[in-house]
Amino acid sequence: MSSAGSAVVIGASIGGLLTARVLSDCYASVLVLDRDVLPDHPAPRRGVPQGRQLHVLLSRGKEALDELFPGLSADLNARGAPLVDLHEDVHWYNDGQRMRRAPSALIALGMSRPLLEDALRARVAALPGVQLRSPVEVLGLTATAGRITGVRLRSSDGVEQALAADLVVDASGRGSRTPSWLAELGYPQPAEEQVRVDLTYVTRSYRREPHHLQGLSGALTNAMPGSTRAGIVAAQEDGRYAVALSGMLGEEPPTDDEGMAAFAGSLAAPQIGEVVRTAEPQGPPAMMRFPASTRRRYERLRRFPAGYLVVADALCNFNPIYGQGMTVAALEALLLRRLLAEGADNLARRFFRTAATVIDGPWSIAVGTDLRFPQVVGRRSPKVRFVNAYVHWLHVAAVADPVLGAAFLRVLNLVDPPSRLLAPRIVRRVLRGAVSRPPTLAADGSAALRSGWR
Ligand SMILES: Cc1cc2nc3c(=O)[nH]c(=O)nc-3n(C[C@H](O)[C@H](O)[C@H](O)COP(=O)(O)OP(=O)(O)OC[C@H]3O[C@@H](n4cnc5c(N)ncnc54)[C@H](O)[C@@H]3O)c2cc1C
């Protein structure tokens, strides 16, 4: 496709920046609008409150970002973000079971969210034809029959104006107002699927010292039925660890030193408590609540205007504990690139239909796992019940069998589809592990799990 026409992207965060990268191949001008003042260095900002929380970039996400911006990981690594073998360099606890470590090709980057955004912003701003403009707030859309023709915006001086574009993309995140903007123009609103998890995150940075985590780069333990607490430690730039403590279903991690140490000490991974107890904090903790995973079903709408797309968190946002949002945003950007290379006709229908298949896998991982908790409202199909029971036994067997840990991590990192866990060679190993169940299985944890599968 030759470069012609103009595109406007609403939101200059991860989703918006990745979309702008792809659009710059096809549109002569790409304008990215954000209501925040965009910093010229790595810094958290108001419009992205989750930027203060620990962010993990999954292995598939790192690959996708390198595909869109060749050399990005190497640049981030040069700026201090450590490369981490997710199977070998992390103390992993799933359902209280310690996964056996082994070298793998699952390499992640440990970095703060502001550092990643800063690196992407610099790369996008340097693209020919791309301009970032802030602070400007998009107030709505302009349209003619059947087509979006641009946006209505308000600049920081309070002046409102209309801006024409051949394509407008909503990358404004979870608070996207597209459903009401469409309704104002007489279009139907998308069906919305929501799964409430009432999650609270508390993240704090600590100075990293060589003896912490026995020299490894991270530690992680998940929540499970009977225990709604989870924790992650991840090495990042500037010689620090980010520690995220989280509680589901209304459980809130405390933010005072003593309370945080006690919460961290109650987790299955003792390494997390050790860091919180002994490492030097690098600033105050930040708290954030995440009520529900939300998926907007634009692919099911009969009528949708031409010249308009919705991407990333505005399309679907996931319980962040699974670390999927940025990776899915990158996969959607790669999808958009492929679709644009085939032509711009009927783009919205083609994009939403194919994006739904990209989202299906991560959505089933996040929602399916959350449905282990009896308090989470949602339909538990026999398949969901079976998979949750099976994956628990996989975790039990992965204490001794690194092949199972590797298979699980490849699915979690969106490298392999969830169905790969049901490959015959994996099933055989899970069954073998179930027969010789290791003695480390916590009796109370397993009992709680069984009650959660009812
Ligand atoms: C607590 C928490 C932890 C998370 N951890 C992870 C993780 O470990 N790994 C991971 O991959 N993902 C994680 N995520 C998800 C991740 O943050 C998002 O998926 C990612 O930021 C992509 O979002 P986005 O770009 O669509 O929207 P956002 O990042 O929310 O950005 C939206 C942008 O749009 C701008 N904007 C909004 N409205 C307007 C408007 N009307 N006009 C102009 N500008 C506007 C905002 O200022 C902002 O810059 C986490 C999320 C949360 C809440």
Side-chain angles (χ1 to χ4, degrees):
M1 199 173 160
S2 61
S3 290
S6 62
V8 161
V9 180
I10 309 167
S13 179
I14 306 292
L17 294 171
L18 301 181
T19 305
R21 158 70 194 87
V22 165
L23 296 179
S24 72
D25 290 340
C26 313
Y27 288 84
S29 98
V30 179
L31 187 57
V32 189
L33 307 173
D34 205 287
R35 62 183 172 198
D36 268 359
V37 176
L38 297 174
D40 59 3
H41 60 283
R45 58 193 176 87
R46 220 175 127 211
V48 183
Q50 74 268 31
R52 295 180 187 276
Q53 301 299 326
L54 187 154
H55 271 58
V56 173
L57 178 64
L58 302 180
S59 183
R60 181 69 189 98
K62 175 178 150 295
E63 281 170 20
L65 290 187
D66 277 333
E67 225 171 310
L68 291 162
F69 301 96
L72 181 75
S73 300
D75 286 358
L76 286 162
N77 187 230
R79 290 175 75 176
L83 287 166
V84 177
D85 179 333
L86 287 171
H87 199 180
E88 176 72 348
D89 297 338
V90 177
H91 301 276
W92 275 96
Y93 291 75
N94 290 308
D95 296 353
Q97 309 298 307
R98 184 169 187 177
M99 182 190 285
R100 181 152 169 196
R101 290 166 35 225
S104 79
L106 292 170
I107 307 300
L109 267 171
M111 75 212 138
S112 67
R113 163 66 195 244
L115 178 66
L116 175 61
E117 219 179 287
D118 183 69
L120 292 176
R121 210 163 40 228
R123 291 246 185 172
V124 170
L127 292 169
V130 178
Q131 227 192 314
L132 306 188
R133 196 170 143 198
S134 71
V136 280
E137 180 169 14
V138 174
L139 304 171
L141 306 169
T142 58
T144 55
R147 180 163 201 98
I148 299 302
T149 55
V151 294
R152 289 186 293 111
L153 55 83
R154 182 168 44 218
S155 312
S156 54
D157 54 10
V159 175
E160 293 188 15
Q161 66 175 115
L163 193 76
D166 299 302
L167 177 69
V168 175
V169 182
D170 176 9
S172 64
R174 286 193 295 144
S176 161
R177 281 147 66 195
T178 289
S180 50
W181 290 344
L182 287 179
E184 280 167 20
L185 296 171
Y187 287 95
Q189 298 194 346
E192 204 170 88
E193 288 173 19
Q194 273 212 340
V195 180
R196 275 201 85 85
V197 287
D198 290 317
L199 185 76
T200 304
Y201 252 59
V202 170
T203 292
R204 192 174 201 182
S205 289
Y206 295 84
R207 185 195 298 279
R208 181 182 179 189
E209 299 198 34
H211 66 275
H212 286 138
L213 304 184
Q214 289 108 50
L216 300 195
S217 303
L220 181 147
T221 181
N222 67 343
M224 56 184 175
S227 169
T228 48
R229 298 178 171 190
I232 310 178
V233 180
Q236 298 189 333
E237 74 271 14
D238 298 334
R240 65 183 189 229
Y241 282 125
V243 176
L245 305 178
S246 66
M248 270 182 81
L249 304 167
E251 161 112 46
E252 287 194 0
T255 51
D256 62 292
D257 288 355
E258 244 174 66
M260 284 183 73
F263 187 101
S266 74
L267 299 172
Q271 300 84 356
I272 301 176
E274 191 218 315
V275 169
V276 173
R277 225 178 32 253
T278 65
E280 186 190 326
Q282 301 292 285
M287 178 185 269
M288 184 173 174
R289 293 189 174 83
F290 177 91
S293 304
T294 304
R295 183 172 184 182
R296 300 192 175 102
R297 295 292 201 156
Y298 288 100
E299 76 278 11
R300 293 184 182 163
L301 287 176
R302 288 239 182 85
R303 280 177 61 235
F304 190 85
Y308 195 57
L309 294 177
V310 183
V311 299
D313 276 20
L315 180 57
C316 182
N317 51 81
F318 307 85
N319 178 345
I321 207 81
Y322 307 102
Q324 299 169 322
M326 300 190 298
T327 296
V328 172
L331 296 177
E332 287 172 16
L334 287 175
L335 166 67
L336 182 58
R337 179 161 81 172
R338 179 164 69 73
L339 295 179
L340 281 169
E342 293 165 6
D345 287 348
N346 213 6
L347 184 63
R349 185 164 296 278
R350 287 156 59 222
F351 176 76
F352 288 131
R353 201 185 294 149
T354 328
T357 64
V358 171
I359 291 167
D360 278 345
W363 181 258
S364 74
I365 292 172
V367 168
T369 310
D370 288 341
L371 284 172
R372 296 198 309 168
F373 296 84
Q375 303 92 323
V376 172
V377 177
R379 200 176 84 78
R380 289 158 177 80
S381 63
K383 183 179 162 199
V384 165
R385 287 168 192 268
F386 167 74
V387 168
N388 281 337
Y390 173 79
V391 171
H392 172 66
W393 284 108
L394 183 147
H395 292 325
V396 172
V399 170
D401 186 348
V403 171
L404 294 178
F408 173 75
L409 290 178
R410 287 178 68 79
V411 170
L412 197 68
N413 278 275
L414 306 183
V415 173
D416 285 343
S419 58
R420 202 59 65 83
L421 294 182
L422 295 169
R425 74 182 184 101
I426 299 297
V427 173
R428 270 197 302 276
R429 297 182 93 106
V430 171
L431 291 176
R432 205 180 305 147
V435 171
S436 56
R437 182 163 127 170
T440 49
L441 180 66
D444 54 343
S446 61
L449 271 163
R450 273 194 292 274
S451 69
W453 298 335
R454 273 198 300 272

